[in-house]
Amino acid sequence: MPNVIVCYKWVLDEADLRVGPGGALNLDNAGRKISEYDRNALEEAALITEKHGGTITAVSLGGPEIKASAKDALSRGPNSVILAMDPTLQAADAHTTALGLAAAVRTLSAYDLILCGEGSGDQYAQQVGPRMAALLRVPCISYVNKLTLDGDHVICERKLEEGVEVVRAQLPVVVTVLPDLNKPRIPGLKQVMGAAKKPQVVLDAKALGFGTAELTPRLSTLAVKAPLSNRKKLRVQNVAELAQQLVSALS
Amino acid sequence: MSKIWVISEQTATLLELTGEARRLADAKPGTVTAVALQDRTAAEAALAHGADEALWLKLAENQPLEAAAVTLSELMRDAQPNLVLFGATLRARDLAAQVAAHLGAALGSCATALRVQADGHAEFERIVYGGGGVSTQAFTGPLQLLTISPRTFAAPAANTRGTSIREVNVPVDARVTITARKARAQTGADIAGATVVVGVGRGLSKKEDLAAVQQVASKLGGAVGCTRPVAEDLQWLPEETYIGISGRKIAPQLYLALGLSGQVQHLAGMRDSKLVVAINKDEKAPIFEHADVGLVAALETALPTLIDELTKLGR
Ligand SMILES: Cc1cc2nc3c(=O)[nH]c(=O)nc-3n(C[C@H](O)[C@H](O)[C@H](O)COP(=O)(O)OP(=O)(O)OC[C@H]3O[C@@H](n4cnc5c(N)ncnc54)[C@H](O)[C@@H]3O)c2cc1C
C-alpha cells in the first residue's frame, strides 16, 4: 500500500492583486489559498489511496502564516500534515524550499510517491518538485496529466510541447502534476470537521537542520510591478459604434 | 575571464542562446560553451555561430532528457561557469532545476529579459502571479543559472570560433524508461500567427452560440480563440486555442474579447495585441481596464447585431 506525500504551497491569492501608484503591486490585503495545481496533487493522492489503500502525508513550508493552511489541506484527504514552519522561511526561495521539504520528507520512515503541483500560483518557478527529487536522489517525472500505479512502478503520461511522453519509473519518485490530471473535489462539512482531528507536526528551522547556508537566499527580488497597460479604455454605447471601431482598426 | 554556458535540446534555441552569450562574452571578455543534448549537429551548428567549444551529451533512446542532470552538474562543477543559460522548454526547466539542486545554486526560471552588469552579476525579469506582475530578480552568488524563453533573442549570424566537440555519454538511469511517445495532433485554428483573433470566454451561454462567434471572426478575417475554462472545462474549443500564461501567446492587430472577465492569466497571453475591443455584460469586468474599446452588453443580443452591423459595413 503506497505511502504518498503531497507538497503544497499556501500562496497569496492573485485575484486580490491591486496595482498601486507607479505600477507597484499591492498584496497587503490579499488572502491565501492552496496553490491551484497543488490541489490537483492532493486530489490525485486521494484517488490513489481510495484505490490502493495506503496513507497520505501533506507537507508545506513557509512562515507562521501556513498554520492556517493545515485544516484546508487536511480536509482534502491527507491523514496528517507536516508544517515546515519558521519565521525565517516566510519568503523562502526554491533552493531553501526544496531543502526544507526534502528534510521534512526524510523524517518519515518510508515513502513511495511524492506529488507536487507543476508550479505554484505565485512564483510559478516550477523548481521545487525537480529540485526535491535531485536532493532525495529519486527520479522526477514532471508535467504529468495521467498517472497509474503498477506494483512498485508508476506509469505517467507527460504532456510536453510536441506531444505525450509515457514514462515508467520505479518507486519512489517525485511526480509534478498538471491541472488536467483530475478535478479536485470541494471538501464537504464532514471532511472539514474531520480535518480538525487529524495530526499536525510542526518542524522549525532548527528541527529541519537548517543553518545559514540553507537559509541564505540564492535569489533576491529587486522589484515587482504590474505589467504596463496603457489602453485607451474608450466606452461605446452600442454595437453599431463597436462595429465601426472594429472595421476602422482593420483598414 | 567570464565563462558562459548555453544549453538546449532544440537547435534553434541553442543558437539563439549562443548568439547572446557570444555578445556578452565579447563585452567581458570571456568564453562560450554550448551544450547540445541528443543531437550532434546542434553542437556543430553552435560552433559555427559563436561558441568557443561544444559538448555533446549523448542520452540513450529510451531515457528522458532530465536523466542528464547528474552528468551535467558534474561537468559544471569542474568547469565553474559564471552564467548558464538554458532554453526554457518544459524538459529543460525540469533539467535546470535538478542541476541547480545538485549544485546548491540559484536558478531563475523563464526569464523574459536579462541584463549582465560589468562585474558579471546578472539581473533578470520574469512573470509572476499568473501574469499579474513582472518581477526583477538578481543572483546573490557566483553561480548563476537561468532558463530563458525560446525566441527571446534573435538567431545569430555565422561566426565560426572553435571546432572541438567533446562527447559525453550520460549513464542510463535504469529506474526510468520512456515506453512510448505520441505526437500531438493540431486540430484548432492557428491563433498565434493570426492578425485578428476573437477570444471567447465563459460568458457565452451555450455551445451553439460559437457559430455566431465564428461568423464574426470570418467577417473580420480572424481566428477564434478562447479562455482556458472554455477549452479545458467546457471543452468547446481545442486546447491549442486557449490564450494565456499557460496557453498560447498572441499578438494580433485586433483582439476582440467576448464574454471573458480578463483575469491576469488570460491577459498575459493577449497583452501584445495592438487594439483590444471587449464586450462584457458586467460593466465592472476587469477586461475593460485592459481594452481600448469596450461595450457593456449581453452576448445573446450583441452577437446577432454585430453580425448585421458588420454586414452593413461591407464585411
Ligand atoms: C495557474 C493558472 C493558470 C491559468 N492559465 C490561464 C490561461 O492561460 N488562460 C486563461 O484564459 N485562463 C487561465 N487561468 C484561468 C483564469 O484564472 C480564469 O479563471 C479564466 O481566464 C476565466 O475565464 P473566463 O473569463 O472565460 O471566465 P469568467 O472569469 O467566469 O468570466 C466570464 C465573464 O463573462 C461575462 N458574462 C457572463 N455572461 C455574459 C453574457 N451573457 N454576455 C456577456 N458577458 C457575459 C461575465 O461578466 C464575466 O466577466 C489560469 C488559472 C490558474 C490558476
Side-chain angles (χ1 to χ4, degrees), chain A residues 122-123 125-127 131 137 142-143 158-159 161 164-166 168 217-218 220 222-223 225 231 234 236, chain B residues 66 90-91 93-94 104-105 107 109 126 129 134 136 138 140 175 177 179-180 182 239 265 273 292 294:
Chain A
D122 52 357
Q123 290 294 317
Q126 300 170 298
Q127 292 186 26
R131 272 187 185 262
R137 302 272 164 183
S142 47
Y143 319 110
R158 307 178 68 199
K159 190 162 101 181
E161 284 96 346
V164 174
E165 186 173 282
V166 185
R168 188 178 143 84
R218 297 298 194 260
S220 67
L222 308 176
K225 289 200 160 180
R231 296 284 172 193
L234 172 78
V236 291
Chain B
E66 295 84 348
L90 293 168
R91 288 186 180 90
R93 292 182 218 171
D94 179 343
L107 170 65
S109 295
R126 61 182 308 269
Y129 297 113
V134 178
T136 308
T140 58
R175 299 169 300 178
T177 317
T179 56
K182 305 178 217 166
E239 223 178 81
Q265 294 92 350
S273 308
D292 297 290

Side-chain angles (χ1 to χ4, degrees), chain A residues 2-164:
Chain A
N3 291 313
V4 184
I5 295 171
V6 185
C7 301
Y8 70 92
K9 185 169 183 181
W10 190 235
V11 294
L12 289 166
D13 192 339
E14 75 284 348
D16 297 336
L17 273 181
R18 295 293 170 265
V19 180
L25 277 196
N26 181 346
L27 283 154
D28 295 349
N29 296 317
R32 294 212 177 237
K33 61 177 183 182
I34 293 179
S35 181
E36 308 283 336
Y37 299 173
D38 298 345
R39 296 185 209 183
N40 296 96
L42 284 160
E43 176 65 25
E44 196 64 16
L47 293 171
I48 289 169
T49 52
E50 277 163 17
K51 189 161 169 200
H52 300 277
T55 61
I56 308 172
T57 310
V59 188
S60 192
L61 179 142
E65 73 286 347
I66 68 167
K67 183 82 188 145
S69 73
K71 257 178 84 175
D72 187 348
L74 289 169
S75 70
R76 295 167 192 270
N79 304 83
S80 63
V81 66
I82 302 178
L83 300 172
M85 186 168 81
D86 197 280
T88 56
L89 295 173
Q90 184 141 33
D93 65 4
H95 161 77
T96 299
T97 304
L99 282 171
L101 292 174
V105 166
R106 286 198 196 96
T107 65
L108 299 169
S109 54
Y111 63 91
D112 301 295
L113 182 60
I114 302 180
L115 297 171
C116 301
E118 173 229 359
S120 62
D122 52 357
Q123 290 294 317
Y124 197 65
Q126 300 170 298
Q127 292 186 26
V128 166
R131 272 187 185 262
M132 213 188 351
L135 296 171
L136 294 167
R137 302 272 164 183
V138 301
C140 176
I141 308 173
S142 47
Y143 319 110
V144 169
N145 70 353
K146 190 157 182 262
L147 185 160
T148 318
L149 273 190
D150 177 20
D152 62 351
H153 281 71
V154 65
I155 299 162
C156 295
E157 294 198 5
R158 307 178 68 199
K159 190 162 101 181
L160 300 165
E161 284 96 346
E162 74 291 351
V164 174

Side-chain angles (χ1 to χ4, degrees), chain A residues 36, chain B residues 201-202 227-228 243-246 259 261 265-266 280 299-300:
Chain A
E36 308 283 336
Chain B
R202 243 180 338 207
T227 61
R228 192 171 83 175
I243 298 156
I245 186 97
S246 35
S261 56
Q265 294 92 350
H266 183 76
N280 194 301
L299 289 179
E300 293 78 352

Side-chain angles (χ1 to χ4, degrees), chain B residues 185-215:
Chain B
Q186 168 86 30
T187 50
D190 177 21
I191 56 166
T195 47
V196 176
V197 177
V198 179
V200 54
R202 243 180 338 207
L204 198 72
S205 45
K206 46 186 195 304
K207 191 178 178 186
E208 292 69 56
D209 293 348
L210 274 178
V213 174
Q214 188 61 62
Q215 220 179 325

Side-chain angles (χ1 to χ4, degrees), chain B residues 2-6 17-18 21-22 25 30-34 50-54:
Chain B
S2 72
K3 272 191 195 173
I4 308 178
W5 279 39
V6 294
L17 297 176
T18 302
R22 182 77 261 154
T31 59
V32 177
T33 302
D52 297 295
E53 56 170 9

Side-chain angles (χ1 to χ4, degrees), chain B residues 6-309:
Chain B
V6 294
I7 302 168
S8 181
E9 79 279 22
Q10 295 181 341
T11 305
T13 308
L14 186 68
L15 296 187
E16 289 161 25
L17 297 176
T18 302
E20 178 63 10
R22 182 77 261 154
R23 204 183 59 75
L24 294 168
D26 285 347
K28 285 291 294 163
T31 59
V32 177
T33 302
V35 181
L37 302 155
Q38 285 168 335
D39 199 358
R40 187 187 169 96
T41 56
E44 288 162 2
L47 288 174
H49 290 86
D52 297 295
E53 56 170 9
L55 294 174
W56 175 34
L57 265 58
K58 290 160 73 178
L59 283 142
E61 179 63 27
N62 65 0
Q63 287 279 287
L65 193 76
E66 295 84 348
V70 172
T71 305
L72 194 52
S73 51
E74 282 165 0
L75 290 166
M76 281 166 51
R77 195 173 282 130
D78 289 342
Q80 298 278 327
N82 317 93
L83 182 64
V84 181
L85 308 177
F86 291 83
T89 58
L90 293 168
R91 288 186 180 90
R93 292 182 218 171
D94 179 343
L95 173 66
Q98 295 197 44
V99 168
H102 286 304
L103 298 172
L107 170 65
S109 295
C110 289
T112 51
L114 166 69
R115 285 180 295 274
V116 181
Q117 326 286 21
D119 68 353
H121 263 84
E123 267 180 38
F124 60 93
E125 284 177 14
R126 61 182 308 269
I127 291 167
V128 294
Y129 297 113
V134 178
S135 172
T136 308
Q137 301 181 7
F139 295 90
T140 58
L143 178 50
Q144 314 179 97
L145 272 55
L146 202 61
T147 66
I148 298 194
S149 310
R151 289 175 296 282
T152 301
F153 307 115
N159 173 10
T160 300
R161 314 264 314 186
T163 47
S164 84
I165 297 179
R166 193 172 142 206
E167 291 184 18
V168 181
N169 279 309
V170 176
V172 169
D173 182 348
R175 299 169 300 178
V176 191
T177 317
I178 297 177
T179 56
R181 291 186 177 92
K182 305 178 217 166
R184 183 194 293 233
Q186 168 86 30
T187 50
D190 177 21
I191 56 166
T195 47
V196 176
V197 177
V198 179
V200 54
R202 243 180 338 207
L204 198 72
S205 45
K206 46 186 195 304
K207 191 178 178 186
E208 292 69 56
D209 293 348
L210 274 178
V213 174
Q214 188 61 62
Q215 220 179 325
V216 169
S218 356
K219 283 189 178 293
L220 298 171
V224 175
C226 60
T227 61
R228 192 171 83 175
V230 171
E232 292 217 324
D233 302 344
L234 299 169
Q235 304 196 337
W236 287 357
L237 283 166
E239 223 178 81
E240 57 268 26
T241 62
Y242 86 77
I243 298 156
I245 186 97
S246 35
R248 287 283 184 274
K249 314 249 177 319
I250 57 167
Q253 284 290 107
L254 170 65
Y255 182 54
L256 175 58
L258 301 175
L260 59 87
S261 56
Q263 297 305 314
V264 289
Q265 294 92 350
H266 183 76
L267 296 174
M270 49 66 82
R271 191 156 275 131
D272 294 335
S273 308
K274 191 117 184 287
L275 189 83
V276 178
V277 178
I279 303 180
N280 194 301
K281 74 169 182 190
D282 174 9
E283 60 169 335
K284 295 208 182 68
I287 187 67
F288 288 129
E289 288 299 305
H290 301 273
D292 297 290
V293 180
L295 173 68
V296 180
L299 289 179
E300 293 78 352
T301 52
L303 279 177
T305 322
L306 182 56
I307 293 167
D308 289 347
E309 292 294 339

